């Protein structure tokens, strides 16, 4: 069986499992009380196989908490855990909460991983056949708390807040002697904090059909708080509208910049899951990165939905370098299954064709952007 076929079976297995378990969760909730059909949880078991990880198994789950007032937003808790037969492990807990009549909101992400991956060197032009294998053990917590307190009611879409990231990582590289240089001493702490601004008119946080989101993050990583001193900036702009045949269209723009004593794993570049799907994290990298995304999402029938997407991305060490460098492209399509119909929360499996050379598969909860 080819690697692509195995990846496809992995993604389909994840979605089939989601169909059974999430539907069961909602029917159990509805059976308890016809008056109270609020869905309490959804569970997605995952089983798959790829050449890199061999057999991969895990669980993705969501807990939903009732809004504190009618019409309020639902707080959620995401729990994800994976393991492979190659002794690789990954686990995360991520609460999304709304407090004080939705005037204060926040996201916190706790993540641990011991995983083997590849490092393709520095720059915007990696050779997919040249890489160093490494094992990374990392823990990090990052979060955002934002509010619109003290702002006039007419400014309700505008919010300000604080962001932070606490991260400790250790890397074990192989003894490869090819052209990919070792990135140097990169073990240790990267701890930072900063400020956040956003303007959000989306009609739904998960599957938006109208509105737009503009947000700016600026984080400082002082040497007094960790082993590296640097800073990062990010401008994220997204727009949503309805398209023909009751299709939702989403468009995204992301610019990233880092400066200072930046560890290689913190350089600007794709995350491989939501920004430029289907590639390794920081497959191409630099001090600046630019991404453009377009996606069309269509609800089909029952709990099923589908999407097609196009992504472009590139990196450079300074702005003129970024503008000159070539674009990497990704084309793809995906299938989605609604874990929670009222919240429009979907599990996704996306297949992407990277630079017309590589096939990538990702599956996760929520939309890519």
């Amino acid at each position: 069986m080819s690697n692509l076929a195995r990846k496809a079976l992995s993604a389909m297995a994840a979605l089939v499992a989601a169909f059974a378990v999430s539907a069961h969760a909602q029917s159990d909730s509805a059976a308890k009380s016809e008056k109270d059909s609020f869905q309490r949880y959804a569970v997605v078991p995952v089983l798959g196989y790829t050449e890199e990880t061999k057999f991969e198994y895990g669980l993705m789950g969501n807990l939903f908490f009732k809004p504190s007032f009618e019409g309020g937003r639902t707080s959620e808790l995401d729990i994800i855990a994976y393991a492979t037969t190659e002794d690789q492990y990954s686990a995360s807990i991520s609460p999304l909460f709304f407090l004080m009549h939705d005037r204060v909101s926040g996201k916190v992400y706790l993540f641990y991983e011991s995983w083997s991956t590849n490092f393709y060197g520095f720059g915007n032009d990696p050779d997919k056949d040249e890489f160093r294998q490494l094992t990374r053990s990392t823990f990090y917590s990052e979060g955002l708390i934002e509010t619109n307190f003290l702002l006039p009611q007419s400014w309700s879409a505008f919010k300000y807040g604080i962001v932070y990231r606490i991260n400790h990582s250790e890397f074990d590289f192989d003894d490869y002697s090819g052209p990919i240089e070792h990135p140097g001493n990169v073990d240790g702490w990267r701890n930072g904090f900063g400020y956040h601004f956003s303007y959000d008119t989306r009609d739904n946080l998960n599957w938006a059909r109208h509105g737009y989101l503009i947000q700016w993050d600026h984080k400082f990583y002082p040497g007094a708080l960790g082993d590296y001193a640097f800073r990062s900036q990010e401008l994220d702009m997204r727009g949503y509208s309805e398209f023909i045949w009751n299709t939702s269209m989403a468009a995204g723009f992301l610019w990233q910049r880092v400066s200072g004593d930046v560890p290689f794993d913190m350089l600007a570049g794709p995350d491989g899951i939501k920004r430029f799907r289907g590639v390794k994290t920081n497959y191409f990298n630099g001090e600046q990165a630019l991404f453009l995304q377009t996606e069309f999402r269509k609800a089909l029938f029952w709990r099923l939905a589908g999407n097609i997407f196009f992504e472009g991305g590139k990196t450079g060490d300074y702005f003129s370098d970024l503008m000159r460098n070539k674009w990497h492209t990704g084309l793809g399509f995906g299938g989605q299954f609604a874990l929670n119909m009222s919240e429009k929360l979907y599990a996704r499996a996306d297949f992407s064709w990277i630079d017309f050379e590589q096939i990538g598969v990702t599956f996760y909860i929520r939309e890519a952007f």
Side-chain angles (χ1 to χ4, degrees), residues 267-289:
L267 288 169
D271 63 14
I273 298 177
K274 298 192 174 186
R275 295 305 174 108
F276 215 87
R277 285 159 273 186
V279 302
K280 298 288 184 183
T281 302
N282 278 20
Y283 172 60
F284 49 96
N285 54 62
E287 292 190 0
Q288 296 191 41

Side-chain angles (χ1 to χ4, degrees), residues 87-89 111-117 134-140 167-172 186-188 190 265:
D87 294 326
Q88 299 169 310
Y89 307 96
F111 178 87
Y112 171 78
E113 180 179 78
S114 178
W115 206 268
S116 298
T117 186
L134 64 93
T135 299
R136 180 181 72 168
S137 297
T138 185
F139 161 80
Y140 70 82
N167 172 226
H168 184 271
S169 295
E170 294 183 354
F171 300 86
D172 183 14
V186 289
D187 294 345
R190 312 103 153 89
D265 58 309

Side-chain angles (χ1 to χ4, degrees), residues 74-136:
T74 301
S75 296
E76 302 175 18
L77 178 66
D78 299 342
I79 302 173
I80 301 175
Y82 290 110
T84 77
T85 52
E86 298 296 293
D87 294 326
Q88 299 169 310
Y89 307 96
S90 176
S92 66
I93 299 176
S94 179
L96 169 66
F97 56 87
F98 299 91
L99 305 173
M100 303 182 70
H101 219 70
D102 291 355
R103 296 294 301 275
V104 177
S105 61
K107 297 178 289 187
V108 177
Y109 191 57
L110 302 172
F111 178 87
Y112 171 78
E113 180 179 78
S114 178
W115 206 268
S116 298
T117 186
N118 300 327
F119 171 55
Y120 294 86
F122 296 101
N124 188 61
D125 302 304
D127 182 344
K128 64 182 179 64
D129 297 319
E130 291 289 347
F131 55 84
R132 299 184 68 133
Q133 292 186 328
L134 64 93
T135 299
R136 180 181 72 168

Side-chain angles (χ1 to χ4, degrees), residues 173-187:
F173 286 84
D174 66 3
D175 295 327
Y176 167 81
S177 58
I180 305 300
E181 62 180 291
H182 193 288
N185 182 17
V186 289
D187 294 345

Side-chain angles (χ1 to χ4, degrees), residues 236-268:
D236 186 357
M237 299 190 295
R238 313 174 192 180
Y240 306 88
S241 66
E242 292 187 5
F243 199 59
I244 58 175
W245 303 316
N246 200 31
T247 299
S248 300
M249 182 179 72
F253 167 94
L254 177 69
W255 174 76
Q256 300 172 327
R257 180 177 182 269
V258 295
S259 59
D261 181 20
V262 188
F264 82 102
D265 58 309
M266 300 290 285
L267 288 169

Side-chain angles (χ1 to χ4, degrees), residues 171-231:
F171 300 86
D172 183 14
F173 286 84
D174 66 3
D175 295 327
Y176 167 81
S177 58
I180 305 300
E181 62 180 291
H182 193 288
N185 182 17
V186 289
D187 294 345
W189 290 95
R190 312 103 153 89
N191 302 326
F193 62 92
Y195 59 88
H196 168 92
F197 296 110
S198 69
Y199 191 83
D200 189 357
T201 65
R202 293 174 295 173
D203 61 322
N204 185 277
L205 296 183
N206 294 318
W207 183 315
R209 296 182 64 91
H210 303 282
Y212 53 89
L213 169 67
I214 302 173
Q215 53 186 2
W216 168 262
D217 283 349
H218 192 167
K219 296 189 188 75
F220 303 88
Y221 294 82
L225 296 181
D227 297 308
Y228 305 89
F230 62 100
R231 63 178 181 172

